[in-house]
PDB file of all heavy atoms in Angstrom:
ATOM      1  N   ASN A 220     -13.104 -21.923  -5.386  1.00 98.00           N
ATOM      2  CA  ASN A 220     -12.251 -22.959  -4.778  1.00 98.00           C
ATOM      3  C   ASN A 220     -11.834 -23.974  -5.836  1.00 98.00           C
ATOM      4  O   ASN A 220     -11.511 -25.130  -5.579  1.00 98.00           O
ATOM      5  CB  ASN A 220     -12.795 -23.616  -3.593  1.00 98.00           C
ATOM      6  CG  ASN A 220     -13.971 -24.491  -3.853  1.00 98.00           C
ATOM      7  OD1 ASN A 220     -14.572 -24.435  -4.962  1.00 98.00           O
ATOM      8  ND2 ASN A 220     -14.438 -25.317  -2.899  1.00 98.00           N
ATOM      9  N   ASP A 221     -11.885 -23.491  -7.102  1.00 98.00           N
ATOM     10  CA  ASP A 221     -11.485 -24.399  -8.253  1.00 98.00           C
ATOM     11  C   ASP A 221     -10.300 -23.878  -9.015  1.00 98.00           C
ATOM     12  O   ASP A 221     -10.157 -24.156 -10.196  1.00 98.00           O
ATOM     13  CB  ASP A 221     -12.722 -24.553  -9.125  1.00 98.00           C
ATOM     14  CG  ASP A 221     -13.149 -23.244  -9.725  1.00 98.00           C
ATOM     15  OD1 ASP A 221     -12.776 -22.163  -9.285  1.00 98.00           O
ATOM     16  OD2 ASP A 221     -14.037 -23.281 -10.679  1.00 98.00           O
ATOM     17  N   TYR A 222      -9.419 -23.123  -8.342  1.00 98.00           N
ATOM     18  CA  TYR A 222      -8.208 -22.662  -8.927  1.00 98.00           C
ATOM     19  C   TYR A 222      -7.130 -23.766  -8.868  1.00 98.00           C
ATOM     20  O   TYR A 222      -7.212 -24.641  -7.980  1.00 98.00           O
ATOM     21  CB  TYR A 222      -7.693 -21.464  -8.172  1.00 98.00           C
ATOM     22  CG  TYR A 222      -8.427 -20.153  -8.487  1.00 98.00           C
ATOM     23  CD1 TYR A 222      -9.446 -19.746  -7.619  1.00 98.00           C
ATOM     24  CD2 TYR A 222      -8.223 -19.426  -9.654  1.00 98.00           C
ATOM     25  CE1 TYR A 222     -10.215 -18.612  -7.851  1.00 98.00           C
ATOM     26  CE2 TYR A 222      -8.892 -18.222  -9.810  1.00 98.00           C
ATOM     27  CZ  TYR A 222      -9.851 -17.868  -8.999  1.00 98.00           C
ATOM     28  OH  TYR A 222     -10.621 -16.658  -9.221  1.00 98.00           O
ATOM     29  N   PRO A 223      -6.153 -23.720  -9.752  1.00 97.00           N
ATOM     30  CA  PRO A 223      -5.107 -24.749  -9.729  1.00 97.00           C
ATOM     31  C   PRO A 223      -4.062 -24.448  -8.643  1.00 97.00           C
ATOM     32  O   PRO A 223      -2.884 -24.160  -8.862  1.00 97.00           O
ATOM     33  CB  PRO A 223      -4.499 -24.558 -11.161  1.00 97.00           C
ATOM     34  CG  PRO A 223      -4.721 -23.169 -11.490  1.00 97.00           C
ATOM     35  CD  PRO A 223      -6.054 -22.733 -10.863  1.00 97.00           C
ATOM     36  N   THR A 224      -4.527 -24.520  -7.427  1.00 98.00           N
ATOM     37  CA  THR A 224      -3.674 -24.288  -6.188  1.00 98.00           C
ATOM     38  C   THR A 224      -3.981 -25.424  -5.206  1.00 98.00           C
ATOM     39  O   THR A 224      -4.946 -26.138  -5.394  1.00 98.00           O
ATOM     40  CB  THR A 224      -4.140 -22.930  -5.577  1.00 98.00           C
ATOM     41  OG1 THR A 224      -5.441 -23.052  -5.102  1.00 98.00           O
ATOM     42  CG2 THR A 224      -3.963 -21.764  -6.486  1.00 98.00           C
ATOM     43  N   PRO A 225      -3.061 -25.527  -4.160  1.00 98.00           N
ATOM     44  CA  PRO A 225      -3.256 -26.740  -3.285  1.00 98.00           C
ATOM     45  C   PRO A 225      -4.650 -26.875  -2.708  1.00 98.00           C
ATOM     46  O   PRO A 225      -5.185 -28.035  -2.690  1.00 98.00           O
ATOM     47  CB  PRO A 225      -2.175 -26.513  -2.220  1.00 98.00           C
ATOM     48  CG  PRO A 225      -1.110 -25.722  -2.945  1.00 98.00           C
ATOM     49  CD  PRO A 225      -1.880 -24.826  -3.908  1.00 98.00           C
ATOM     50  N   ASP A 226      -5.282 -25.822  -2.220  1.00 98.00           N
ATOM     51  CA  ASP A 226      -6.643 -26.018  -1.729  1.00 98.00           C
ATOM     52  C   ASP A 226      -7.724 -25.490  -2.676  1.00 98.00           C
ATOM     53  O   ASP A 226      -8.880 -25.389  -2.204  1.00 98.00           O
ATOM     54  CB  ASP A 226      -6.759 -25.486  -0.272  1.00 98.00           C
ATOM     55  CG  ASP A 226      -6.666 -23.993  -0.156  1.00 98.00           C
ATOM     56  OD1 ASP A 226      -6.755 -23.301  -1.252  1.00 98.00           O
ATOM     57  OD2 ASP A 226      -6.463 -23.473   0.930  1.00 98.00           O
ATOM     58  N   GLY A 227      -7.319 -25.027  -3.809  1.00 98.00           N
ATOM     59  CA  GLY A 227      -8.324 -24.574  -4.787  1.00 98.00           C
ATOM     60  C   GLY A 227      -8.631 -23.082  -4.662  1.00 98.00           C
ATOM     61  O   GLY A 227      -9.309 -22.550  -5.526  1.00 98.00           O
ATOM     62  N   THR A 228      -8.082 -22.434  -3.612  1.00 98.00           N
ATOM     63  CA  THR A 228      -8.401 -20.954  -3.458  1.00 98.00           C
ATOM     64  C   THR A 228      -7.081 -20.205  -3.848  1.00 98.00           C
ATOM     65  O   THR A 228      -5.999 -20.736  -3.819  1.00 98.00           O
ATOM     66  CB  THR A 228      -8.865 -20.645  -2.023  1.00 98.00           C
ATOM     67  OG1 THR A 228      -7.808 -20.806  -1.065  1.00 98.00           O
ATOM     68  CG2 THR A 228     -10.080 -21.468  -1.689  1.00 98.00           C
ATOM     69  N   CYS A 229      -7.295 -18.898  -4.148  1.00 98.00           N
ATOM     70  CA  CYS A 229      -6.158 -18.070  -4.709  1.00 98.00           C
ATOM     71  C   CYS A 229      -5.061 -17.995  -3.667  1.00 98.00           C
ATOM     72  O   CYS A 229      -5.312 -17.826  -2.444  1.00 98.00           O
ATOM     73  CB  CYS A 229      -6.717 -16.750  -5.072  1.00 98.00           C
ATOM     74  SG  CYS A 229      -7.751 -16.723  -6.426  1.00 98.00           S
ATOM     75  N   LEU A 230      -3.904 -17.848  -4.204  1.00 98.00           N
ATOM     76  CA  LEU A 230      -2.630 -17.665  -3.348  1.00 98.00           C
ATOM     77  C   LEU A 230      -2.207 -16.180  -3.471  1.00 98.00           C
ATOM     78  O   LEU A 230      -2.078 -15.643  -4.613  1.00 98.00           O
ATOM     79  CB  LEU A 230      -1.506 -18.530  -3.868  1.00 98.00           C
ATOM     80  CG  LEU A 230      -1.751 -20.034  -3.757  1.00 98.00           C
ATOM     81  CD1 LEU A 230      -0.599 -20.808  -4.382  1.00 98.00           C
ATOM     82  CD2 LEU A 230      -1.877 -20.477  -2.302  1.00 98.00           C
ATOM     83  N   ARG A 231      -1.891 -15.556  -2.368  1.00 98.00           N
ATOM     84  CA  ARG A 231      -1.406 -14.209  -2.325  1.00 98.00           C
ATOM     85  C   ARG A 231      -0.210 -14.071  -1.338  1.00 98.00           C
ATOM     86  O   ARG A 231      -0.116 -14.921  -0.369  1.00 98.00           O
ATOM     87  CB  ARG A 231      -2.458 -13.209  -1.870  1.00 98.00           C
ATOM     88  CG  ARG A 231      -3.669 -13.089  -2.821  1.00 98.00           C
ATOM     89  CD  ARG A 231      -3.252 -12.378  -4.084  1.00 98.00           C
ATOM     90  NE  ARG A 231      -4.438 -12.223  -4.954  1.00 98.00           N
ATOM     91  CZ  ARG A 231      -4.808 -13.119  -5.935  1.00 98.00           C
ATOM     92  NH1 ARG A 231      -4.150 -14.278  -6.029  1.00 98.00           N
ATOM     93  NH2 ARG A 231      -5.913 -12.898  -6.672  1.00 98.00           N
ATOM     94  N   ASP A 232       0.526 -12.997  -1.506  1.00 99.00           N
ATOM     95  CA  ASP A 232       1.706 -12.694  -0.663  1.00 99.00           C
ATOM     96  C   ASP A 232       1.267 -11.595   0.297  1.00 99.00           C
ATOM     97  O   ASP A 232       1.338 -10.439  -0.080  1.00 99.00           O
ATOM     98  CB  ASP A 232       2.848 -12.309  -1.560  1.00 99.00           C
ATOM     99  CG  ASP A 232       4.137 -12.145  -0.880  1.00 99.00           C
ATOM    100  OD1 ASP A 232       4.117 -11.853   0.356  1.00 99.00           O
ATOM    101  OD2 ASP A 232       5.157 -12.364  -1.508  1.00 99.00           O
ATOM    102  N   TYR A 233       0.843 -11.942   1.519  1.00 99.00           N
ATOM    103  CA  TYR A 233       0.290 -10.965   2.457  1.00 99.00           C
ATOM    104  C   TYR A 233       1.477 -10.477   3.271  1.00 99.00           C
ATOM    105  O   TYR A 233       2.075 -11.225   3.961  1.00 99.00           O
ATOM    106  CB  TYR A 233      -0.762 -11.645   3.359  1.00 99.00           C
ATOM    107  CG  TYR A 233      -1.995 -12.082   2.618  1.00 99.00           C
ATOM    108  CD1 TYR A 233      -2.107 -13.371   2.141  1.00 99.00           C
ATOM    109  CD2 TYR A 233      -2.988 -11.152   2.296  1.00 99.00           C
ATOM    110  CE1 TYR A 233      -3.253 -13.801   1.429  1.00 99.00           C
ATOM    111  CE2 TYR A 233      -4.128 -11.492   1.574  1.00 99.00           C
ATOM    112  CZ  TYR A 233      -4.223 -12.826   1.096  1.00 99.00           C
ATOM    113  OH  TYR A 233      -5.358 -13.212   0.374  1.00 99.00           O
ATOM    114  N   VAL A 234       1.716  -9.163   3.210  1.00 99.00           N
ATOM    115  CA  VAL A 234       2.850  -8.551   3.857  1.00 99.00           C
ATOM    116  C   VAL A 234       2.333  -7.488   4.904  1.00 99.00           C
ATOM    117  O   VAL A 234       1.502  -6.698   4.631  1.00 99.00           O
ATOM    118  CB  VAL A 234       3.774  -7.897   2.814  1.00 99.00           C
ATOM    119  CG1 VAL A 234       3.061  -6.874   1.906  1.00 99.00           C
ATOM    120  CG2 VAL A 234       4.999  -7.253   3.545  1.00 99.00           C
ATOM    121  N   HIS A 235       2.887  -7.681   6.124  1.00 99.00           N
ATOM    122  CA  HIS A 235       2.475  -6.849   7.252  1.00 99.00           C
ATOM    123  C   HIS A 235       2.793  -5.368   6.963  1.00 99.00           C
ATOM    124  O   HIS A 235       3.892  -5.081   6.486  1.00 99.00           O
ATOM    125  CB  HIS A 235       3.182  -7.299   8.531  1.00 99.00           C
ATOM    126  CG  HIS A 235       2.542  -6.750   9.797  1.00 99.00           C
ATOM    127  ND1 HIS A 235       2.489  -5.359  10.075  1.00 99.00           N
ATOM    128  CD2 HIS A 235       1.835  -7.378  10.801  1.00 99.00           C
ATOM    129  CE1 HIS A 235       1.856  -5.302  11.280  1.00 99.00           C
ATOM    130  NE2 HIS A 235       1.469  -6.444  11.721  1.00 99.00           N
ATOM    131  N   VAL A 236       1.860  -4.494   7.236  1.00 99.00           N
ATOM    132  CA  VAL A 236       2.053  -3.059   6.916  1.00 99.00           C
ATOM    133  C   VAL A 236       3.253  -2.455   7.630  1.00 99.00           C
ATOM    134  O   VAL A 236       3.887  -1.548   7.115  1.00 99.00           O
ATOM    135  CB  VAL A 236       0.719  -2.345   7.177  1.00 99.00           C
ATOM    136  CG1 VAL A 236       0.350  -2.222   8.639  1.00 99.00           C
ATOM    137  CG2 VAL A 236       0.735  -0.925   6.549  1.00 99.00           C
ATOM    138  N   THR A 237       3.571  -2.953   8.870  1.00 98.00           N
ATOM    139  CA  THR A 237       4.777  -2.350   9.473  1.00 98.00           C
ATOM    140  C   THR A 237       6.050  -2.874   8.857  1.00 98.00           C
ATOM    141  O   THR A 237       7.065  -2.221   8.893  1.00 98.00           O
ATOM    142  CB  THR A 237       4.792  -2.582  11.079  1.00 98.00           C
ATOM    143  OG1 THR A 237       4.797  -3.994  11.273  1.00 98.00           O
ATOM    144  CG2 THR A 237       3.596  -2.002  11.719  1.00 98.00           C
ATOM    145  N   ASP A 238       6.014  -4.046   8.265  1.00 99.00           N
ATOM    146  CA  ASP A 238       7.164  -4.473   7.446  1.00 99.00           C
ATOM    147  C   ASP A 238       7.330  -3.605   6.232  1.00 99.00           C
ATOM    148  O   ASP A 238       8.436  -3.205   5.813  1.00 99.00           O
ATOM    149  CB  ASP A 238       7.021  -5.985   7.000  1.00 99.00           C
ATOM    150  CG  ASP A 238       7.431  -6.974   8.032  1.00 99.00           C
ATOM    151  OD1 ASP A 238       8.305  -6.618   8.906  1.00 99.00           O
ATOM    152  OD2 ASP A 238       6.949  -8.132   8.034  1.00 99.00           O
ATOM    153  N   LEU A 239       6.178  -3.253   5.600  1.00 98.00           N
ATOM    154  CA  LEU A 239       6.190  -2.357   4.472  1.00 98.00           C
ATOM    155  C   LEU A 239       6.819  -1.024   4.874  1.00 98.00           C
ATOM    156  O   LEU A 239       7.626  -0.462   4.148  1.00 98.00           O
ATOM    157  CB  LEU A 239       4.819  -2.064   3.901  1.00 98.00           C
ATOM    158  CG  LEU A 239       4.200  -2.991   2.897  1.00 98.00           C
ATOM    159  CD1 LEU A 239       2.940  -2.324   2.397  1.00 98.00           C
ATOM    160  CD2 LEU A 239       5.183  -3.208   1.737  1.00 98.00           C
ATOM    161  N   ALA A 240       6.445  -0.585   6.054  1.00 99.00           N
ATOM    162  CA  ALA A 240       6.914   0.746   6.512  1.00 99.00           C
ATOM    163  C   ALA A 240       8.394   0.658   6.600  1.00 99.00           C
ATOM    164  O   ALA A 240       9.135   1.588   6.179  1.00 99.00           O
ATOM    165  CB  ALA A 240       6.301   1.085   7.884  1.00 99.00           C
ATOM    166  N   SER A 241       8.963  -0.415   7.208  1.00 98.00           N
ATOM    167  CA  SER A 241      10.422  -0.533   7.302  1.00 98.00           C
ATOM    168  C   SER A 241      11.073  -0.679   5.949  1.00 98.00           C
ATOM    169  O   SER A 241      12.189  -0.245   5.715  1.00 98.00           O
ATOM    170  CB  SER A 241      10.889  -1.591   8.303  1.00 98.00           C
ATOM    171  OG  SER A 241      10.559  -2.875   7.752  1.00 98.00           O
ATOM    172  N   GLY A 242      10.328  -1.181   4.978  1.00 98.00           N
ATOM    173  CA  GLY A 242      10.797  -1.238   3.585  1.00 98.00           C
ATOM    174  C   GLY A 242      11.015   0.143   3.031  1.00 98.00           C
ATOM    175  O   GLY A 242      11.924   0.381   2.245  1.00 98.00           O
ATOM    176  N   HIS A 243      10.111   1.072   3.394  1.00 99.00           N
ATOM    177  CA  HIS A 243      10.320   2.429   2.925  1.00 99.00           C
ATOM    178  C   HIS A 243      11.579   3.084   3.478  1.00 99.00           C
ATOM    179  O   HIS A 243      12.283   3.814   2.808  1.00 99.00           O
ATOM    180  CB  HIS A 243       9.106   3.301   3.237  1.00 99.00           C
ATOM    181  CG  HIS A 243       7.831   2.887   2.388  1.00 99.00           C
ATOM    182  ND1 HIS A 243       7.171   1.769   2.673  1.00 99.00           N
ATOM    183  CD2 HIS A 243       7.318   3.494   1.373  1.00 99.00           C
ATOM    184  CE1 HIS A 243       6.179   1.658   1.728  1.00 99.00           C
ATOM    185  NE2 HIS A 243       6.284   2.669   0.935  1.00 99.00           N
ATOM    186  N   LEU A 244      11.785   2.791   4.752  1.00 98.00           N
ATOM    187  CA  LEU A 244      13.071   3.329   5.384  1.00 98.00           C
ATOM    188  C   LEU A 244      14.290   2.763   4.636  1.00 98.00           C
ATOM    189  O   LEU A 244      15.274   3.476   4.384  1.00 98.00           O
ATOM    190  CB  LEU A 244      13.168   2.953   6.858  1.00 98.00           C
ATOM    191  CG  LEU A 244      12.200   3.746   7.750  1.00 98.00           C
ATOM    192  CD1 LEU A 244      12.263   3.181   9.210  1.00 98.00           C
ATOM    193  CD2 LEU A 244      12.522   5.192   7.769  1.00 98.00           C
ATOM    194  N   ALA A 245      14.236   1.456   4.358  1.00 98.00           N
ATOM    195  CA  ALA A 245      15.331   0.915   3.613  1.00 98.00           C
ATOM    196  C   ALA A 245      15.475   1.496   2.201  1.00 98.00           C
ATOM    197  O   ALA A 245      16.617   1.741   1.770  1.00 98.00           O
ATOM    198  CB  ALA A 245      15.084  -0.680   3.508  1.00 98.00           C
ATOM    199  N   ALA A 246      14.408   1.792   1.583  1.00 98.00           N
ATOM    200  CA  ALA A 246      14.463   2.428   0.275  1.00 98.00           C
ATOM    201  C   ALA A 246      15.064   3.840   0.360  1.00 98.00           C
ATOM    202  O   ALA A 246      15.846   4.291  -0.495  1.00 98.00           O
ATOM    203  CB  ALA A 246      13.056   2.491  -0.373  1.00 98.00           C
ATOM    204  N   LEU A 247      14.736   4.579   1.406  1.00 98.00           N
ATOM    205  CA  LEU A 247      15.284   5.929   1.587  1.00 98.00           C
ATOM    206  C   LEU A 247      16.818   5.814   1.778  1.00 98.00           C
ATOM    207  O   LEU A 247      17.552   6.624   1.103  1.00 98.00           O
ATOM    208  CB  LEU A 247      14.706   6.612   2.836  1.00 98.00           C
ATOM    209  CG  LEU A 247      13.223   6.974   2.779  1.00 98.00           C
ATOM    210  CD1 LEU A 247      12.857   7.877   3.958  1.00 98.00           C
ATOM    211  CD2 LEU A 247      12.850   7.608   1.477  1.00 98.00           C
ATOM    212  N   ARG A 248      17.306   4.859   2.564  1.00 98.00           N
ATOM    213  CA  ARG A 248      18.718   4.720   2.764  1.00 98.00           C
ATOM    214  C   ARG A 248      19.379   4.388   1.431  1.00 98.00           C
ATOM    215  O   ARG A 248      20.452   4.925   1.065  1.00 98.00           O
ATOM    216  CB  ARG A 248      18.994   3.577   3.788  1.00 98.00           C
ATOM    217  CG  ARG A 248      18.840   4.026   5.208  1.00 98.00           C
ATOM    218  CD  ARG A 248      19.342   2.950   6.206  1.00 98.00           C
ATOM    219  NE  ARG A 248      18.564   1.752   6.255  1.00 98.00           N
ATOM    220  CZ  ARG A 248      17.488   1.585   7.026  1.00 98.00           C
ATOM    221  NH1 ARG A 248      17.096   2.576   7.912  1.00 98.00           N
ATOM    222  NH2 ARG A 248      16.780   0.470   7.005  1.00 98.00           N
ATOM    223  N   PHE A 249      18.714   3.468   0.683  1.00 98.00           N
ATOM    224  CA  PHE A 249      19.303   3.100  -0.578  1.00 98.00           C
ATOM    225  C   PHE A 249      19.436   4.294  -1.563  1.00 98.00           C
ATOM    226  O   PHE A 249      20.417   4.473  -2.203  1.00 98.00           O
ATOM    227  CB  PHE A 249      18.401   1.973  -1.159  1.00 98.00           C
ATOM    228  CG  PHE A 249      18.821   1.475  -2.574  1.00 98.00           C
ATOM    229  CD1 PHE A 249      19.838   0.582  -2.654  1.00 98.00           C
ATOM    230  CD2 PHE A 249      18.072   1.898  -3.652  1.00 98.00           C
ATOM    231  CE1 PHE A 249      20.216   0.112  -3.931  1.00 98.00           C
ATOM    232  CE2 PHE A 249      18.502   1.465  -4.946  1.00 98.00           C
ATOM    233  CZ  PHE A 249      19.549   0.545  -5.057  1.00 98.00           C
TER     234      PHE A 249
END
Side-chain angles (χ1 to χ4, degrees):
N220 69 346
D221 58 351
Y222 286 96
T224 63
D226 66 16
T228 67
C229 291
L230 298 174
R231 294 289 182 273
D232 187 332
Y233 296 94
V234 55
H235 196 295
V236 66
T237 61
D238 276 335
L239 271 190
S241 67
H243 289 75
L244 286 176
L247 293 191
R248 280 191 290 273
F249 178 77

